[in-house]
Amino acid sequence: MMRRFAYMYMLLLLLIACGARPAAAERLVVSLSNHRVQVTSNFVGEDLVLFGSVEPDNKQSTLRSSYDLVVTVTGPRETFRTRRKGRVLGIWVNANSREFVHVPSYLAILSNRPVTAITNEETRLRLQIGLDNFLLPQRIGPDIADTVRNDPYRVAFVRLKSDQGLYRESAKAVTFLTPTVFRVAIPLPAAAPTGSYAIDVKLFAGGALVARTNSALEVIKTGFEQYVADAAADYGLLYGIATAIMALFIGWFASVIFRRD
Amino acid sequence: MQIYLPIANLPVNVFLVLGMGLAVGFLSGMFGVGGGFLMTPLLIFVGISPAVVVASVSPQIAASLFSGFLAHWRRGTIDIVLGAMLLIGGTTGALIGVWLFTLLRAVDQLDLIIALSYVTLLSVVGVLMITEGLRAINRARHGERADLRRPGSHTWIHRLPLKMRFKRSRIYVSVIPVWVIGWIIGFLGAVLGVGGGFMLVPMLIYLLRVPTMTVIGTSMLLTLVTMVTATVMHAAADHLVDAPLALILMIGGVIGAQFGVRAGQNMRSEYLRLLLGVLVMLVGMRFALDLVIKPDDLYSIRHVRGG
């Protein structure tokens, strides 16, 4: 009895799935110009390019005439403290602070036109489209939660990150070369933290999300920079001794070549 | 030419940093000081985080001190015994300084303490140097001889117990003030990223009556060892020493110092002291302004941890 029910239920689900599939169904095909960004000693930032096209999901489905695209790139998650200076005894000191827990160290929300024109507010909130709608949880007392958009600490955090080029919202970064082929410019500033970055590509048509895909990239320090950073982090004591020896050597060398007595 | 600093995590212009090394090295050679009190503020003003600056300036000061130290060593103008006694205090001070540095960083008040200490220290030392320099210039103009310290004039410092004879410096003094002075210099060096020579030399002259012959070499012994200790400790405890940054500064510093020494030899010492005093004052005032004037941006972000 139970088994028959289960079969029928599955059949029903299958029917719904087939029936619910719209005539226009599309999928996204994307390709990134470079999956591994290497930070070398002359790294001054890099612009990555993501190419992609909208494809029909199967032979029967057709494509619509126009699409919108929103690409969200999130860097490695980290915890930051936003501090506010206040006047104490006549001098300006860090008086208050809020901790932003597990938030992206890099965040870019890139689209072909302003996100407010692409979809309605409810969808933007649900899909975290736009810097205003992206969840930036703060530690408030024992709780961790996002606050209202105009919370001064949140505003300051987003502004400071934007000043560093690490947070950005651009309505010009996505270009449709043809109605179905697009190009996305992903700007990575020199200060881009190392680690893995997630790329979330969302396709909209008529204000509704119609397809979604993911990609990823990695920012790594290479060669000498990586070596120095690793050594400093993992072998602090040895690194310190090596630096001290280097200092003494330079000092000795200088005293030899500039010897006057 | 930009170079990416792996610990400070930002690109800087090599020639800018090299130029700063040259300029500070020039002044340090001219005045016979390590130059940390100038280098640290300069790098902070460039935009490198104060914590990384303080940690990375230590090896640079060590390099410039070591070349000076070797010159004094060859001339035999170092009081090893006095230096060793100062070091007992100095290394302890540096260890505690690094510990406090880590603690202050954790509670977000490191930048403030660095700024406040600079204001206090530089203003006091600057004022003392300027008045002393002006007095010396005045004396020179009236043709008087400098007021030499009479060997018989004793202060309370000379009544302290645990006296010890320092043969090379020809002084007989308690080791307690020696330890305390060493401790203060080591501590300030670790917290502020200064060698402390500009404070140590006057202290040794006025408090302990160390003769001018051995004072510079001996002070270099202490500041050299505290800076080496601070480098190793900062690297081990805070992982903040940016070796490439330190290397560029060192190269600029040692070259600049050579020209500075030559320039200094052509100047009257009392004018040199006055000039150094003015310079110290100016740096102190710059820090004070930053603290008193309402900042353009009240907010700042600090990276707490990954994940």
Side-chain angles (χ1 to χ4, degrees):
Chain A
M1 190 63 185
M2 280 302 288
R3 180 165 280 196
R4 253 176 74 190
F5 249 133
Y7 277 132
M8 276 176 68
Y9 184 65
M10 277 170 69
L11 195 70
L12 195 70
L13 275 183
L14 203 68
L15 279 172
I16 292 171
C18 290
R21 179 164 289 174
E26 37 289 273
R27 63 194 176 94
L28 284 164
V29 180
V30 295
S31 168
L32 193 62
S33 61
N34 183 6
H35 283 280
R36 280 163 74 91
V37 178
Q38 306 196 333
V39 178
T40 53
S41 57
N42 50 11
F43 183 71
V44 288
E46 192 172 324
D47 277 335
L48 297 179
V49 181
L50 180 90
F51 275 106
S53 77
V54 185
E55 301 284 326
D57 198 19
N58 53 43
K59 289 206 177 78
Q60 286 81 41
S61 53
T62 54
L63 291 178
R64 277 168 271 227
S65 58
S66 84
Y67 292 101
D68 286 314
L69 197 78
V70 180
V71 177
T72 307
V73 186
T74 47
R77 299 224 166 218
E78 280 163 21
T79 296
F80 297 93
R81 200 173 289 164
T82 304
R83 306 172 292 190
R84 188 185 189 283
K85 283 201 168 79
R87 203 164 198 165
V88 177
L89 301 172
I91 57 166
W92 291 91
V93 301
N94 288 325
N96 296 301
S97 72
R98 285 274 186 81
E99 208 161 89
F100 286 77
V101 186
H102 207 58
V103 293
S105 49
Y106 172 91
L107 174 64
I109 294 168
L110 314 165
S111 53
N112 58 319
R113 55 189 180 124
V115 288
T116 45
I118 293 176
T119 182
N120 60 27
E121 178 158 15
E122 191 266 322
T123 315
R124 290 203 305 275
L125 262 172
R126 186 166 47 84
L127 297 172
Q128 300 188 39
I129 292 173
L131 286 180
D132 279 347
N133 300 319
F134 201 90
L135 281 179
L136 297 173
Q138 295 181 34
R139 192 188 299 280
I140 300 164
D143 297 324
I144 293 178
D146 197 5
T147 53
V148 288
R149 282 172 212 182
N150 56 4
D151 168 60
Y153 285 90
R154 190 191 200 279
V155 171
F157 178 72
V158 171
R159 176 172 53 79
L160 288 167
K161 282 294 226 177
S162 304
D163 288 349
Q164 296 171 3
L166 292 170
Y167 274 28
R168 61 179 77 209
E169 184 175 329
S170 166
K172 290 193 185 107
V174 178
T175 328
F176 273 95
L177 305 171
T178 72
T180 57
V181 176
F182 55 84
R183 177 185 181 279
V184 187
I186 303 173
L188 280 181
T194 54
S196 37
Y197 287 58
I199 304 174
D200 181 21
V201 186
K202 298 186 200 78
L203 186 72
F204 288 86
L209 179 70
V210 292
R212 193 170 181 173
T213 187
N214 295 306
S215 185
L217 70 95
E218 207 173 357
V219 176
I220 48 168
K221 284 182 186 171
T222 51
F224 181 64
E225 279 64 38
Q226 178 62 42
Y227 187 72
V228 171
D230 280 353
D234 301 337
Y235 307 99
L237 189 62
L238 275 176
Y239 174 87
I241 294 170
T243 312
I245 290 172
M246 172 180 86
L248 296 182
F249 176 77
I250 300 269
W252 168 79
F253 193 67
S255 86
V256 170
I257 52 174
F258 296 115
R259 188 167 177 171
R260 284 183 305 271
D261 46 341
Chain B
M1 195 177 86
Q2 297 276 318
I3 179 170
Y4 189 86
L5 299 177
I7 308 297
N9 267 324
L10 82 168
V12 290
N13 190 318
V14 178
F15 299 112
L16 176 72
V17 178
L18 198 65
M20 279 164 43
L22 278 169
V24 174
F26 181 83
L27 295 171
S28 79
M30 193 154 123
F31 299 124
V33 291
F37 73 97
L38 287 173
M39 188 57 93
T40 305
L42 270 180
L43 290 171
I44 293 175
F45 297 150
V46 162
I48 303 172
S49 102
V52 174
V53 170
V54 167
S56 308
V57 158
S58 309
Q60 188 255 328
I61 303 170
S64 82
L65 284 171
F66 192 56
S67 64
F69 171 83
L70 288 173
H72 281 277
W73 180 263
R74 284 192 290 264
R75 274 183 243 136
T77 49
I78 295 169
D79 189 327
I80 300 291
V81 185
L82 179 61
M85 283 298 135
L86 283 167
L87 274 175
I88 292 176
T91 42
T92 326
L95 289 180
I96 294 175
V98 171
W99 171 78
L100 184 74
F101 182 91
T102 314
L103 187 81
L104 287 171
R105 210 162 87 86
V107 295
D108 271 333
Q109 298 303 348
L110 180 65
D111 301 3
L112 171 72
I113 298 295
I114 290 178
L116 270 183
S117 314
Y118 264 98
V119 171
T120 321
L121 211 63
L122 298 185
S123 327
V124 171
V125 175
V127 167
L128 287 177
M129 280 176 167
I130 291 170
T131 46
E132 203 273 333
L134 284 176
R135 211 174 289 157
I137 289 169
N138 216 19
R139 273 199 304 270
R141 196 166 289 161
H142 294 307
E144 289 169 25
R145 287 201 40 224
D147 175 26
L148 289 171
R149 297 276 159 179
R150 289 173 302 277
S153 63
H154 278 197
T155 60
W156 59 273
I157 285 172
H158 294 82
R159 288 196 291 273
L160 291 169
L162 284 173
K163 285 205 171 190
M164 201 172 154
R165 198 170 292 284
F166 298 102
K167 287 206 189 80
R168 193 173 280 276
S169 296
R170 296 200 193 89
I171 52 167
Y172 181 60
V173 68
S174 158
V175 291
I176 295 170
V178 178
W179 286 339
V180 171
I181 291 173
W183 195 92
I184 293 171
I185 298 298
F187 178 79
L188 290 176
V191 178
L192 298 184
V194 292
F198 73 104
M199 291 177 286
L200 179 57
V201 173
M203 278 178 170
L204 292 180
I205 292 176
Y206 295 121
L207 299 179
L208 300 184
R209 308 279 153 79
V210 177
T212 37
M213 188 185 73
T214 54
V215 74
I216 301 280
T218 310
S219 97
M220 276 181 169
L221 174 62
L222 171 67
T223 46
L224 171 66
V225 176
T226 49
M227 284 298 100
V228 169
T229 314
T231 301
V232 175
M233 290 307 298
H234 275 305
D238 300 300
H239 312 287
L240 288 174
V241 179
D242 200 307
L245 173 64
L247 181 64
I248 304 169
L249 293 176
M250 278 174 209
I251 293 169
V254 292
I255 297 171
Q258 302 308 317
F259 294 102
V261 167
R262 254 158 257 183
Q265 282 162 349
N266 299 326
M267 276 182 83
R268 297 267 299 276
S269 72
E270 50 268 28
Y271 285 101
L272 267 182
R273 285 203 297 264
L274 181 66
L275 217 59
L276 180 62
V278 172
L279 204 65
V280 168
M281 247 339 256
L282 286 176
V283 178
M285 274 160 63
R286 170 71 213 263
F287 268 101
L289 281 179
D290 279 356
L291 283 175
V292 178
I293 291 175
K294 186 176 179 183
D296 290 339
D297 195 343
L298 291 178
Y299 292 91
S300 59
I301 306 181
R302 189 170 81 82
H303 178 245
V304 182
R305 63 183 168 272

